[in-house]
Amino acid sequence: MLRKIRITLAIVFFTMITLLFLDFTGTFHTYLGWMAKIQFLPAVLALNFAVVAGLVLLTLVFGRIYCSVICPLGVMQDVIAKVFNHKKNPYTYSPAKSALRYTVLALFVVALVAGVGSFVALLAPYSSYGRIAQNLMQPVYAGVNNLLAMAAEHYESYAFYEREVWIRSMPTFIIACVSFIAISVLAWRNGRTYCNTICPVGTILGQLARFSLFKMKIDADKCKNCRKCERNCKASCIDIKNHTVDYSRCVTCGNCLSDCKFDALHYVVAPGLVKSKTEAKETKNVEGRREFLVGTGLALATATLAQEKKKVDGGLAVIEDKVQPKRLTPITPPGSISAKNMAQRCTACQLCVSECPNDVLRPSTDLKTLMQPVMSYEKGYCRPECNRCSSVCPAGAIKPISLEVKSSTQIGHAVWVRKNCIAVTGEVECGNCERHCPTGAIQMVYLDDNEDNPLVPAVNEERCIGCGACENLCPARPFSAIYVEGHEVHKEN
Amino acid sequence: MDRRNFFKILGGATVASSAVLTACKGKNAQETTASQQEPPTDKMTMRKNPGNGDNVSILGYGMMRLPVLPKKKDTDPDVIDQEMVNKQIDYALEHGVNYYDTSPAYCQGKSEAATGTALSRHPRDKYFVATKLSNFAPETWSREASQEMFHESLKNLKVDYIDYLLLHAIGGTSRNLDGENLDSEETFNARYMDNGILDWLVEQKKEGKIRNLGFSYHGDVDIFDMLLSWHDEGRYHWDFVQIELNYLDWDYANEINSFNTDASYLYAELEKRGIPAIIMEPLLGGRLAKVPDPVVAKMKSKRPEDSVASWAFRFAGTPKGVLCVLSGMTYMEHLRDNIRTYAPLQPITKEENDFLMKVAKDIYDLKTIPCNECNYCMPCPYGINIPAIFSHYNKMIQEGNMPHDRESAEYRRQRRNYLIGYDRSVPKIRQADHCIGCGECMSHCPQRINIPSEMQRLDQFVEELKRSI
């Protein structure tokens, strides 16, 4: 019964949080946004004491039920084991790898305090799952959606619309692939090994779970030593020889309860502390996850803008893709307050990247902020009617921001690049940046104060909010003639 | 339409099709209406050219919208589906269509060769071919380049003479090689007079290389009047003139765009002089086939078995001075329907004429953008898909799906549909917000739409839609 409740809850939670990551239409985040906010590490980073206290309490009462129900990475491992591992009695008891666990936890805390966001992001379980969902599952989801959109278009329906599928950052994509494969293999062969050796949240909750009110208890009198429970425990924490359970590793899945034919196992109020074995035997080494490519360099399109003279009717000029300019300061989304706040709080879960409807947010490729979101305007710009990223962020890295405040918050400022401006190089009147600036921060002025010269944009840096409309809509390609430099600290005008 | 409705319709369609299948088993299945039969091959209405007695079919084939093969990328050049062109031309000839109108500029410059390939498979005396001395690029305005253009036309069409040769789209403005803007008279002189090419064409006619010399007209009526006055004075003789005529432009061309002239005036001027008229845009690039639903209902209740398009074709063919009505028939079903309309033509009655004039008023009141998707403006050097942007806007108006009243219950659905439909019809990087207003397109539009200002208007409209969440 306990097991069934746990499985039902796990399926509900897992499905909902996955949907939150997959949905790009902005439909679900209003209803499911809380799913991300009850995740342990984001709640700690957001200083969300209520949630942290709630989770601590939950663990102190029921044990590591969090790892079996709420944590999507944990449930994902159960799903993989269920699907791929059909062996009878697949697991065995193994002593806890405490040295590894505490070393990883210590490194993690140090990184957290020192603000090394990329290391924190690498280990945080919810973020790992987010990356997998955003990089590996969302493309599939979008692909199916696009098929439906094609069908809908055929039937003149607007029920579905097409969503472009593209890799936002190669390093993050590779990390997502590598961690997915590594975690999957571990889950397939050894159940919850990842959760009980690497995962810092698992280690912390494990310490709390030692003192939990309810625990799995083996009735040594009834136990016939058949070891069925031991060999089916995905956490490898049941030691039948000594009739003990390592509560720091037990994820309270309840599988053993239904496995036992002799009614020897019970989930009951704990009689007292049970010592867990702490033999340190380091064998596994999870390497390779930090392998990544830095600076992939977008494939530079060689096509040039077809400016040839028109002699015949019809056809479409080839449009060269825009290339990201080198920005001295990266741009972080409105609500993130400052680069520092972003670096300290963001767990790089990719939820904001999944949500961004304008293809502006993508994971950073910079080593210090690796996988944390940065903005760039090659495919779109930060539209005035949107604040979706701020409404989903569970970690307080992007704080909720109203549309009004956003439209007056300066996250960067536009810079004009003379050598790219077609008013100067091509002697064509343009002014597209001025026409599209939502704050009226651009005026058109004669170049070098000479009325014989072309009109070029003049940016009022004080009024500019850095939304990138000018950069995105500039006709100069591949590099825009006006681009946004980020600000380390945002300010409200 | 929301998701639920969509699935309902999907399901409904399945049920409906099975219902049809059952119904077909009934007794009445054998009786077919006119629209289910192949049109007759020997009933095409013919008109006589008063000048030389040419017996021309009232339906002419416009070679501007030829079928193309599917493309991998939208920037790939069009590849004409020659097999389909051959098939359609064979079918047209078989059903009495003997006038074929092309130009060196059509279909990215590939129309003439495709036309020549298809027609040369038939005896030369079975068809009349019309082509043009086109005027788009100032590079082709020199005497030598113009002569080369004419010789290329003969070569592409695989003929020794052109039956009908036109000065292309006179009355428009242009920008010359130095980037100066020329008005319509300066453009005409620079293109056809200063280089003496019109006189050269007259010589070609004397030599028999051209059988009929005329012009096609869009735009400034002063040029039209000037060329007709030359005809009156005997300076040049026009064997025919090609004008835009349909039931909307008959009285409303000038109201829609003050630069344009009502077809009723243009036609009357030609009729007065006995110059045969060739009609272009009888269907306004398909816009008169996509009329609002109430109009469709009225047309169908009057003539239940006739297509909506047939009204426009009957209107264009009714005046006695019309030699031929051109239609750019991309698909076999267009061709078949038009042949049905004209084999033979049943002229528009007085009552029907009054009805169409009321329809014209209704369509005029919709304030759609008068773009016929002729693609003369394309390619835009900045990659904007001009006709697709206009077409989406017009489609939403014609379907009664235009979001305008924010307070209305329909607004949210209409807004969503407009924006999704916009992204579907036009990729983001080819939308109106990327128009920088360079004006390169302006002189090419035969409807004289102020394209840059319309682009900015539609961009504003979309921006407001996006922001009103």
Side-chain angles (χ1 to χ4, degrees), chain A residues 153 155 157-161 307 309-310 312-317 319 383-385 422 430 432 435-436, chain B residues 3 6 10 105-106 108 136-137 375-376 378-379 382 416-417 424 430 433 435-436 456 459 463 466 469:
Chain A
E153 191 174 353
Y155 289 102
S157 152
Y158 298 95
F160 301 93
Y161 58 87
Q307 286 264 28
K309 280 283 176 183
K310 168 187 159 67
V312 294
D313 308 335
L316 283 167
I319 300 179
R383 297 262 331 152
E385 72 278 1
I422 65 161
C430 179
N432 215 31
R435 272 195 297 281
H436 289 91
Chain B
R3 259 164 232 235
F6 172 65
L10 270 183
Y106 289 172
Q108 301 180 12
F136 295 138
N375 276 312
Y376 282 19
M378 298 291 283
Y382 293 92
R416 177 184 156 91
N417 292 3
R424 271 181 194 166
R430 299 192 184 281
D433 53 357
C435 169
I436 67 161
Q456 283 175 23
D459 176 29
E463 184 64 28
K466 282 185 179 169
I469 41 169

Side-chain angles (χ1 to χ4, degrees), chain A residues 395-438:
Chain A
I398 312 173
K399 294 209 159 56
I401 184 168
S402 72
L403 292 176
E404 291 74 24
V405 176
K406 169 191 160 156
S407 66
S408 61
T409 297
Q410 196 177 39
I411 59 170
H413 68 274
V415 180
W416 179 60
V417 185
R418 182 183 181 130
K419 69 176 167 55
N420 291 343
C421 185
I422 65 161
V424 180
T425 59
E427 292 171 7
V428 186
E429 276 183 37
C430 179
N432 215 31
C433 47
E434 182 250 0
R435 272 195 297 281
H436 289 91
C437 178

Side-chain angles (χ1 to χ4, degrees), chain A residues 307-313, chain B residues 103-106 133-146 149 168-169 173-180 182 187 190-192 195 376-379 440 443-444:
Chain A
Q307 286 264 28
E308 60 188 89
K309 280 283 176 183
K310 168 187 159 67
K311 288 201 180 72
V312 294
D313 308 335
Chain B
S103 135
Y106 289 172
L133 202 62
S134 293
N135 58 355
F136 295 138
E139 287 86 349
T140 62
W141 288 4
S142 71
R143 189 179 169 88
E144 295 69 32
S146 305
M149 189 188 283
H168 201 171
T173 56
S174 64
R175 199 178 273 182
N176 69 9
L177 281 177
D178 301 325
E180 293 163 340
L182 305 183
T187 303
R191 176 67 190 102
Y192 298 112
N195 54 11
Y376 282 19
C377 55
M378 298 291 283
E440 197 61 45
S443 62
H444 299 299

Side-chain angles (χ1 to χ4, degrees), chain A residues 76-207:
Chain A
M76 184 189 89
Q77 293 176 69
D78 291 351
V79 172
I80 287 165
K82 176 97 190 160
V83 173
F84 293 103
N85 195 339
H86 299 293
K87 271 194 281 181
K88 212 177 164 193
N89 302 329
Y91 311 117
T92 48
Y93 170 77
S94 64
K97 299 179 175 45
S98 301
L100 178 59
R101 288 178 89 177
Y102 299 124
T103 315
V104 174
L105 178 64
L107 283 174
F108 182 79
V109 172
V110 169
L112 201 60
V113 174
V116 187
S118 43
F119 186 72
V120 173
L122 211 52
L123 294 181
Y126 156 76
S127 303
S128 267
Y129 182 73
R131 278 193 296 280
I132 291 167
Q134 203 281 315
N135 283 285
L136 307 180
M137 299 185 195
Q138 203 184 37
V140 178
Y141 184 80
V144 173
N145 167 77
N146 291 351
L147 285 178
L148 287 170
M150 272 168 65
E153 191 174 353
H154 182 74
Y155 289 102
E156 292 263 328
S157 152
Y158 298 95
F160 301 93
Y161 58 87
E162 200 186 318
R163 165 78 173 178
E164 190 189 347
V165 177
W166 60 291
I167 293 176
R168 284 157 179 81
S169 147
M170 194 47 86
T172 304
F173 178 76
I174 291 170
I175 289 170
C177 291
V178 171
S179 48
F180 178 68
I181 293 167
I183 294 171
S184 298
V185 169
L186 284 176
W188 164 45
R189 315 285 303 222
N190 298 309
R192 292 294 195 106
T193 306
Y194 178 83
C195 308
N196 286 333
T197 48
I198 305 295
C199 179
V201 177
T203 308
I204 293 170
L205 293 182
Q207 294 313 307

Side-chain angles (χ1 to χ4, degrees), chain A residues 218-267:
Chain A
I218 305 170
D219 188 338
D221 298 338
K222 284 185 179 171
C223 179
K224 303 273 193 261
N225 295 333
C226 73
R227 295 179 66 215
K228 189 161 189 227
C229 55
E230 180 186 313
R231 302 191 57 192
N232 284 289
C233 176
K234 61 192 171 201
S236 304
C237 68
I238 305 178
D239 179 6
I240 284 300
K241 214 165 95 191
N242 300 315
H243 290 129
T244 56
V245 176
D246 178 354
Y247 297 117
S248 78
R249 286 186 288 160
C250 171
V251 291
T252 331
C253 70
N255 289 359
C256 50
L257 297 178
S258 39
D259 282 340
C260 183
K261 292 206 172 58
F262 310 106
D263 193 30
L265 272 147
H266 300 277
Y267 185 55

Side-chain angles (χ1 to χ4, degrees), chain A residues 9-20:
Chain A
L9 281 175
I11 290 173
V12 171
F13 270 69
F14 185 69
T15 313
M16 292 205 300
I17 202 156
T18 307
L19 262 185
L20 181 65

